[in-house]
Amino acid sequence: MPESDDQGPLRAELRAPGRPGRLTRRNFLGLAAAGVVGVAARGGLGLRKHMTLFSQPGSSPNRGGILRIGTVAPLDAPEPLTMRDPTSLLLVQLAGEYLAWPDPAFGLAPRLAAGWTTPDGISWTFFLRRGVSFQNGKTLDASDVVASFQRLLDPSYASPALASLGSLLAPEGVVAQDSHTVVFRLNSAFVDFPYLVSAFNANAVILPRDYRVGSFLSRPAGTGPFVLSSYVEGSGASFQANPSYWDSGFPYLDGVQVRFFPTLWQALEALARGEVDLVPHVEATYLGIISSNQDVLVRSWPSTSYVALAMRTDLPPFDDVHLRLAVASCIDREGAVRGILLGHGELANDHVFAPSFPLSRLALQAVPQRNLDLAAASRYLSMAGRPRGFAVELVTENDPRTVAFGELVAANCQKVGIDVRLNVQPRAAYLGNLPTTSSSVVPMWLSVQFGLTPMAAGGTPSQLILPSYLSSSLENASRWQNPEFGSVFGDYVEEVDPSLRAVAARDLASLQNSQVPVVIAFWPDELCAQGMALRGVPSGPAGLLDLRGVWLAA
């Protein structure tokens, strides 16, 4: 996505006294919060223009009405600390909020934080909004933010957020400076840190300091625009507009009704019949249901989610890089985008620098695109001493798009003698318990020799690398350990100069591509489908729906 230099009145700048470079204690760089947008750099830190998305110019939003959403049931009872599926995220984010909220250009706008600043990339100070109340009547203060992040950092809660935050921040590193100022003292400089306290880190919802884990459905706990009024397992949930919401004028709706369907197919059929207004998180394979319906609009925007084809680099056969390269050369990326995504996506190249990230440009130009090349695959097999191939089991979950990709992988690998046997597991069994630093139980997707797993989107490449591609990463499914990669990543997350960050990004992409611990074949677009009477639905990113400004036309 092209980067705009016109930041308008919401522009924030990175100002550096002297020569820009890495953030160190000796080289203080004023990452100052400008106006109300917090820290932002014009592409240098992956932060870009904040756009108004709630209504088109000249339109006058209607107030009132109930928004009807159709979706599949969540995996488990929604709980902010441990949620991991899109429906749970949708429900929690109607009632709960974050310090910052993403915009479609992968920038950040303040939400519960009015702004933030850092002198060195290690110590981050966040200034909280005043006059914000939780839905239980308690006024938001710094102690709530401290408690929220200390819960996320407690391994006993097994929050997915620990995979991103755990190596950067200790519980005692979150401190209330005063009633409305919170300081995060990181273990080392990390210029992308605001992304880890935003909705891009979905579990980082700000909850009351006395919040009891597991009580989200029974006790109002958020600061958001809607209050949960009922939840029926397997059926749906209802929300009412929050009469005490801090952002005056929002929400426009009187409430939201979320209806659970057994399948996405049935949710889309209900949309086509006019029984629901919005179906988020649509996969392209289902679009045929509504393709000819003139009363339905399909919205599409780029995403940084992906499907990871992870190979255990610590076990045979994939401890041999030539066999990993053989598999990567068997992947029909263009065929996957055409046949599985129906054109709603972009080619990926076995690294995390997606086209949506501004800092990916040099990496995308410098690293040659890997394509289907069976002759190269055969050569790699011979170099590994396996000219006739080998047999391996590929384990995945029963998600239609993921299974379809697994079948495509198996079919092409078979052509060079790699016998891939697909083992499809129920999603709950495949994902299993979440990994923690103290748990001895490793979930299936992190233990299998060869696994295919959908991965959540991130706001920056560093947010995708941190949990999955470092030696210390909790979700390192490939067990890849590359000291050079770790060293360059350390430089990358301390660097503020955009040109130097781009060079580090190129080097990281090259290492991932050449060592290929994980095949990343495509970047699927985020899709949602809506009725024509619905207005103000924001365009992502990462499937995040800010429904404060959504309204229904007469």
Side-chain angles (χ1 to χ4, degrees):
M1 189 180 294
E3 180 184 352
S4 172
D5 285 334
D6 179 15
Q7 299 280 327
L10 291 181
R11 171 180 158 187
E13 294 182 350
L14 176 68
R15 300 186 182 278
R19 184 179 65 84
R22 283 176 49 171
L23 283 166
T24 68
R25 294 187 182 276
R26 295 188 301 274
N27 182 19
F28 291 104
L29 301 173
L31 289 171
V36 295
V37 298
V39 176
R42 294 158 62 183
L45 301 185
L47 300 171
R48 298 166 68 185
K49 180 177 177 181
H50 172 62
M51 299 183 222
T52 301
L53 299 165
F54 293 142
S55 58
Q56 297 299 320
S59 62
S60 180
N62 295 327
R63 293 192 174 274
I66 303 296
L67 172 64
R68 303 166 301 169
I69 297 177
T71 187
V72 295
L75 281 177
D76 306 296
E79 163 53 51
L81 264 74
T82 57
M83 61 184 179
R84 50 181 169 158
D85 65 272
T87 300
S88 291
L89 267 62
L90 168 68
L91 298 176
V92 168
Q93 290 170 356
L94 284 168
E97 294 183 300
Y98 303 81
L99 293 179
W101 186 268
D103 69 32
F106 288 82
L108 292 180
R111 187 55 59 93
L112 294 181
W116 52 87
T117 187
T118 180
D120 56 7
I122 298 174
S123 178
W124 291 84
T125 302
F126 282 74
F127 307 99
L128 303 183
R129 289 189 189 277
R130 296 180 182 272
V132 177
S133 296
F134 289 100
Q135 294 162 5
N136 62 6
K138 182 195 178 300
T139 300
L140 170 72
D141 63 35
S143 68
D144 301 304
V145 177
V146 171
S148 294
F149 281 93
Q150 287 181 340
R151 277 190 292 264
L152 294 175
L153 292 164
D154 184 343
S156 67
Y157 291 124
S159 175
L162 188 63
S164 295
L165 290 170
S167 63
L168 288 176
L169 184 64
E172 59 272 18
V174 191
V175 178
Q177 183 169 292
D178 59 40
S179 64
H180 282 77
T181 307
V182 178
V183 178
F184 296 85
R185 295 169 181 156
L186 308 186
N187 300 327
S188 58
F190 196 85
V191 299
D192 296 329
F193 179 70
Y195 283 90
L196 301 184
V197 300
S198 77
F200 274 124
N201 195 2
N203 304 97
V205 179
I206 304 303
L207 301 166
R209 64 176 176 268
D210 61 352
Y211 175 75
R212 294 204 313 260
V213 177
S215 67
F216 187 82
L217 296 179
S218 58
R219 299 174 61 191
T223 61
F226 298 97
V227 181
L228 179 67
S229 55
S230 69
Y231 179 87
V232 179
E233 183 177 354
S235 179
S238 296
F239 295 80
Q240 297 176 342
N242 181 358
S244 302
Y245 187 54
W246 59 269
D247 198 352
S248 178
F250 294 122
Y252 295 139
L253 297 164
D254 288 335
V256 178
Q257 181 180 16
V258 182
R259 182 178 167 190
F260 301 154
F261 291 85
T263 66
L264 186 60
W265 184 284
Q266 290 165 294
L268 287 168
E269 286 181 327
L271 176 66
R273 294 192 299 265
E275 296 172 5
V276 299
D277 305 302
L278 175 67
V279 179
H281 311 300
V282 176
E283 293 190 3
T285 49
Y286 294 100
L287 291 180
I289 304 171
I290 52 176
S291 60
S292 61
N293 192 316
Q294 299 300 310
D295 297 321
V296 173
L297 173 67
V298 176
R299 301 169 61 89
S300 173
W301 53 89
S303 175
T304 60
S305 64
Y306 63 98
V307 178
L309 181 63
M311 297 169 276
R312 286 281 295 270
T313 62
D314 61 332
L315 295 174
F318 295 124
D319 56 346
D320 188 328
V321 66
H322 298 105
L323 296 183
R324 303 198 299 270
L325 287 166
V327 170
S329 300
C330 290
I331 307 302
D332 185 359
R333 299 157 200 265
E334 292 184 355
V337 171
R338 286 195 312 268
I340 299 174
L341 304 184
L342 305 183
H344 292 281
E346 299 187 67
L347 297 182
N349 198 21
D350 303 333
H351 58 72
V352 299
F353 291 87
S356 299
F357 296 134
L359 279 170
S360 294
R361 293 173 185 172
L362 182 58
L364 294 173
Q365 294 168 0
V367 181
Q369 176 64 52
R370 180 170 285 134
N371 296 304
L372 175 64
D373 189 340
L374 298 180
S378 295
R379 288 196 299 272
Y380 286 128
L381 288 172
S382 295
M383 293 169 70
R386 303 238 192 157
R388 296 186 179 181
F390 59 95
V392 65
E393 181 181 67
L394 175 59
V395 187
T396 190
E397 61 168 284
N398 57 347
D399 168 71
R401 181 174 65 189
T402 307
V403 171
F405 181 51
E407 292 171 344
L408 181 64
V409 170
N412 282 320
C413 283
Q414 187 67 49
K415 296 175 183 177
V416 296
I418 304 174
D419 181 16
V420 176
R421 302 182 300 273
L422 197 59
N423 178 355
V424 180
Q425 292 286 323
R427 188 177 192 192
Y430 182 69
L431 293 178
N433 296 321
L434 296 168
T436 71
T437 54
S438 62
S439 174
S440 60
V441 178
V442 179
M444 186 184 299
W445 71 278
L446 289 177
S447 61
V448 296
Q449 182 183 36
F450 196 29
L452 191 59
T453 310
M455 303 298 287
T460 66
S462 62
Q463 195 176 0
L464 300 182
I465 291 171
L466 196 61
S468 301
Y469 295 98
L470 302 176
S471 300
S472 59
S473 296
L474 289 179
E475 297 179 351
N476 187 345
S478 68
R479 303 295 198 278
W480 189 47
Q481 299 191 31
N482 188 295
E484 183 182 1
F485 186 85
S487 177
V488 176
F489 182 71
D491 293 339
Y492 174 79
V493 297
E494 292 186 4
E495 185 59 67
V496 294
D497 183 284
S499 61
L500 296 179
R501 283 204 105 195
V503 170
R506 176 203 63 193
D507 294 345
L508 290 170
S510 179
L511 284 167
Q512 280 191 295
N513 176 273
S514 62
Q515 294 294 304
V516 67
V518 174
V519 170
I520 304 176
F522 51 79
W523 303 103
D525 289 345
E526 186 71 40
L527 305 172
C528 77
Q530 66 172 80
M532 299 302 292
L534 196 57
R535 301 286 189 273
V537 178
S539 299
L544 300 170
L545 292 176
D546 185 353
L547 299 181
R548 301 184 306 162
V550 167
W551 51 282
L552 297 166

